Amino acid sequence: MDYELPELTETESLAQLEPPPDGSAGGNKQRLLVGIEDFYLSLQEEVIQDSTESGINISDAFFEHMTVRLESVGEIETADRAAFEISAGNKTIRIDGSSGDPRDSDGVLSVMICDMHTGDVPETINAQEAKRLFGHLANFILFAQNDTFRAKLDAGSQGSGLAETIAGAWHVVTKIKLILITNAIYSARTDAVPAGKINNIPVTYNIWDLSRFYRYESSGQAREDLVIDFRSYHNASSVPALAASRLGEELESYLMVIPGLQLAEIYDKWGARLLESNVRSFLQARGKVNQSIRDTIKNEPAMFFSYNNGLSATAESIEKELTPDGLRIVSARNLQIVNGGQTTASIHAAKRMSPESLEKVHVQMKLTVVPADRSDEVVPKISEYANSQNKVSAADFFSNHPFHIRIEEYSRRLLAPATEGTNRETKWFYERARGQYLVERAKRSDTERRRFDMDFPKAQFFTKTDLAKVVFSFRCKPDVVSKGAQKNFGEFSKE
């Protein structure tokens, strides 16, 4: 095999988060530690409760509990459990699940391995341990392509089914994502890091540890922070731009021209996480590359800029530089493409099939800088107007749409029946925007928080994707529900 996992870096150890002995300049880090510890215990309690109530083992409950979060952030599209572990000689072959068939996800094979700890306090794992676990995943992918290995597996077992899927889809696989899910603390941010190749297919590794889950949960954002440094792609160059707003205006706007190869490489690394999470199902072009876009790239690449409408995008902040040739955009925080998913996916597909054709392709991009505190208000409007030619307006299904506001009002007003053995009626908590539940709970005093927990028990907390799953299950649509939270929500939104 030609697989070699590069050394992992450890840049910010847990010890560095602890306050200094004299107590100075460490308050924020101490609060971070306390918050992570509380989150760890809460997470453990929820997993145990899920295991008890559903009758599944704790490993399965942990997998389900954590992959729901990965779906919501756009790391994976769906999660299929496939627990498997054996030893072959001196190799451990292990996997815990995948994100479905690569043939349904633009050729991306995403596989997961879980590392659950059950102690009273969070543990830490180092680079050596992470590398060992990633090696187990790589072994499974390699052995899955071996006919003799697959023939020895129990027919109908989870491991056998996944191995057959990998072998059958290998000819379309263009990228492999190795994902480590753990409730331990890892010492560095590891996100889409290049990790060599498996049989000439590029590999990245991603670590979702306790601190990363905690940052995402406590941020109240619909997605995890994503920083695009344009100098890290294609010709290592920032992107030329023209300011389309004046100093002092409400929002900054820019017109940019980005090389096709640079855009393709950015999408190749980040994929669906570049597309506004609430409308991902509307903006992606999975397996449906537009014929005219493809023909232009192939036959008239120099005319692509003239023929194509380009992209509309937003970012929370940007880094600029002024050069002798004019203004350039260096990086963008939380860059999101709100219109142009078809164009982006088509250019990405062209990179695989005929990368030389992209040399002459340039794409215009309208970029609006929208601060985080105004994102929920402004981004849906940009998406709605940019997508106005579509039959279904993507923005209709953002969190501030009247439908979701009404459901939120019902949930706060309608009482749930008292549970057996009590006479206390409680309420539901519909979270139409990420982080509402945590924000509402956190802003109360200890006494008020206990009252809040009794009025809105965690078991009666539900989100937009939960609502979609319940409604479609009630309507007897298991074929849609089984596609995963995000795809199911997309279908639900169309109705």
Coordinates of all heavy atoms in Angstrom, one line a residue, residues 25-54:
A25 N -4.1 36.4 34.3 CA -4.3 36.2 32.9 C -4.7 34.8 32.5 O -4.4 34.2 31.5 CB -3.1 36.5 32.1
G26 N -5.6 34.1 33.4 CA -6.0 32.8 33.1 C -7.4 32.5 33.3 O -7.9 31.4 33.2
G27 N -8.2 33.6 33.6 CA -9.6 33.4 33.9 C -10.4 32.8 32.8 O -11.2 31.9 33.0
N28 N -10.2 33.3 31.6 CA -10.9 32.7 30.5 C -10.6 31.3 30.2 O -11.5 30.5 29.9 CB -10.6 33.6 29.2 CG -11.3 34.9 29.3 OD1 -12.2 35.2 30.0 ND2 -10.7 35.9 28.5
K29 N -9.4 30.9 30.3 CA -9.0 29.5 30.1 C -9.5 28.6 31.2 O -9.9 27.5 30.9 CB -7.5 29.4 30.0 CG -6.9 30.1 28.7 CD -5.4 30.0 28.6 CE -4.9 30.6 27.3 NZ -3.4 30.6 27.2
Q30 N -9.6 29.1 32.4 CA -10.1 28.3 33.5 C -11.6 28.1 33.3 O -12.1 27.0 33.5 CB -9.9 29.0 34.8 CG -10.5 28.3 36.0 CD -9.9 27.0 36.3 OE1 -8.8 26.7 35.7 NE2 -10.6 26.1 37.0
R31 N -12.3 29.1 32.8 CA -13.7 29.0 32.5 C -13.9 28.0 31.4 O -14.9 27.2 31.4 CB -14.4 30.3 32.2 CG -14.6 31.2 33.4 CD -15.5 32.4 33.1 NE -14.8 33.3 32.2 CZ -14.0 34.3 32.7 NH1 -13.8 34.5 34.0 NH2 -13.4 35.2 31.8
L32 N -13.0 28.0 30.4 CA -13.1 27.1 29.3 C -13.0 25.6 29.8 O -13.7 24.8 29.4 CB -12.0 27.4 28.3 CG -11.9 26.4 27.1 CD1 -13.1 26.4 26.3 CD2 -10.7 26.8 26.2
L33 N -12.0 25.4 30.7 CA -11.8 24.1 31.3 C -13.1 23.6 32.0 O -13.5 22.5 31.8 CB -10.6 24.1 32.2 CG -9.2 23.9 31.6 CD1 -8.2 24.1 32.6 CD2 -9.1 22.6 30.9
V34 N -13.6 24.5 32.8 CA -14.8 24.1 33.6 C -16.0 23.8 32.6 O -16.7 22.8 32.8 CB -15.2 25.3 34.6 CG1 -16.6 25.0 35.2 CG2 -14.1 25.4 35.6
G35 N -16.1 24.6 31.6 CA -17.2 24.4 30.6 C -17.0 23.1 29.9 O -18.0 22.4 29.7
I36 N -15.8 22.7 29.5 CA -15.5 21.5 28.8 C -15.8 20.3 29.8 O -16.4 19.3 29.3 CB -14.1 21.4 28.4 CG1 -13.9 22.4 27.2 CG2 -13.7 20.0 27.9 CD1 -12.5 22.4 26.7
E37 N -15.5 20.4 31.0 CA -15.7 19.3 32.0 C -17.2 19.1 32.2 O -17.7 18.0 32.2 CB -15.1 19.6 33.3 CG -13.5 19.5 33.2 CD -12.8 20.0 34.5 OE1 -13.6 20.4 35.4 OE2 -11.6 19.9 34.6
D38 N -18.0 20.2 32.3 CA -19.5 20.1 32.4 C -20.1 19.5 31.2 O -21.0 18.7 31.2 CB -20.1 21.5 32.7 CG -19.8 22.1 34.1 OD1 -19.3 21.2 34.9 OD2 -19.9 23.3 34.3
F39 N -19.5 19.9 30.0 CA -20.0 19.4 28.8 C -19.8 17.9 28.7 O -20.6 17.1 28.2 CB -19.4 20.2 27.6 CG -19.8 19.7 26.2 CD1 -21.1 19.8 25.8 CD2 -18.8 19.1 25.4 CE1 -21.4 19.3 24.5 CE2 -19.2 18.7 24.1 CZ -20.5 18.8 23.7
Y40 N -18.6 17.5 29.1 CA -18.2 16.1 29.1 C -19.2 15.2 29.9 O -19.7 14.2 29.4 CB -16.8 15.9 29.6 CG -16.3 14.5 29.9 CD1 -15.9 13.7 28.8 CD2 -16.4 14.0 31.2 CE1 -15.5 12.4 29.1 CE2 -16.0 12.7 31.4 CZ -15.5 11.9 30.4 OH -15.1 10.6 30.6
L41 N -19.5 15.7 31.1 CA -20.4 14.9 32.0 C -21.8 14.9 31.4 O -22.5 13.9 31.5 CB -20.4 15.5 33.4 CG -19.0 15.4 34.1 CD1 -19.1 16.2 35.5 CD2 -18.7 13.9 34.4
S42 N -22.2 16.1 30.9 CA -23.6 16.1 30.3 C -23.7 15.2 29.1 O -24.7 14.5 28.9 CB -23.9 17.6 29.9 OG -25.1 17.7 29.1
L43 N -22.6 15.2 28.2 CA -22.6 14.3 27.1 C -22.7 12.9 27.5 O -23.4 12.1 26.9 CB -21.4 14.6 26.3 CG -21.2 14.1 24.9 CD1 -22.3 14.7 24.0 CD2 -19.9 14.4 24.3
Q44 N -21.9 12.5 28.5 CA -21.9 11.1 29.0 C -23.2 10.7 29.5 O -23.7 9.6 29.2 CB -20.8 11.0 30.0 CG -20.5 9.6 30.4 CD -19.3 9.6 31.4 OE1 -19.5 9.8 32.6 NE2 -18.1 9.4 30.9
E45 N -23.9 11.6 30.2 CA -25.2 11.3 30.8 C -26.2 11.1 29.7 O -27.1 10.2 29.7 CB -25.6 12.5 31.7 CG -27.0 12.3 32.3 CD -27.4 13.5 33.2 OE1 -26.5 14.2 33.7 OE2 -28.6 13.7 33.4
E46 N -26.2 12.0 28.6 CA -27.1 11.8 27.5 C -26.9 10.5 26.7 O -27.9 9.9 26.3 CB -26.9 13.0 26.6 CG -27.4 14.3 27.1 CD -27.1 15.5 26.2 OE1 -26.7 15.3 25.1 OE2 -27.2 16.7 26.7
V47 N -25.7 10.1 26.5 CA -25.4 8.9 25.8 C -25.9 7.7 26.6 O -26.5 6.8 26.1 CB -23.9 8.7 25.5 CG1 -23.5 7.4 25.0 CG2 -23.4 9.8 24.5
I48 N -25.6 7.7 27.9 CA -26.1 6.6 28.8 C -27.6 6.5 28.8 O -28.2 5.4 28.7 CB -25.6 6.7 30.2 CG1 -24.0 6.6 30.2 CG2 -26.2 5.8 31.1 CD1 -23.4 6.9 31.5
Q49 N -28.3 7.7 28.8 CA -29.7 7.7 28.8 C -30.3 7.2 27.5 O -31.2 6.4 27.5 CB -30.2 9.2 29.0 CG -31.7 9.3 29.1 CD -32.2 10.7 29.3 OE1 -31.3 11.6 29.7 NE2 -33.4 11.0 29.1
D50 N -29.6 7.6 26.4 CA -30.1 7.1 25.1 C -29.9 5.6 25.0 O -30.8 4.9 24.4 CB -29.3 7.8 24.0 CG -29.6 9.2 23.7 OD1 -30.6 9.7 24.3 OD2 -29.0 9.9 22.9
S51 N -28.8 5.1 25.5 CA -28.6 3.7 25.5 C -29.6 2.9 26.3 O -30.1 1.9 25.8 CB -27.2 3.4 26.1 OG -26.9 2.0 26.2
T52 N -30.0 3.4 27.4 CA -30.9 2.8 28.3 C -32.3 2.8 27.7 O -33.0 1.8 27.7 CB -31.0 3.5 29.7 OG1 -29.7 3.4 30.3 CG2 -32.0 2.8 30.6
E53 N -32.7 4.0 27.2 CA -34.1 4.1 26.7 C -34.3 3.4 25.4 O -35.4 2.9 25.1 CB -34.4 5.6 26.5 CG -34.5 6.4 27.8 CD -34.7 7.9 27.6 OE1 -34.7 8.3 26.4 OE2 -35.0 8.6 28.5
S54 N -33.3 3.3 24.5 CA -33.4 2.7 23.2 C -33.1 1.2 23.2 O -33.3 0.5 22.2 CB -32.6 3.4 22.2 OG -31.2 3.4 22.5

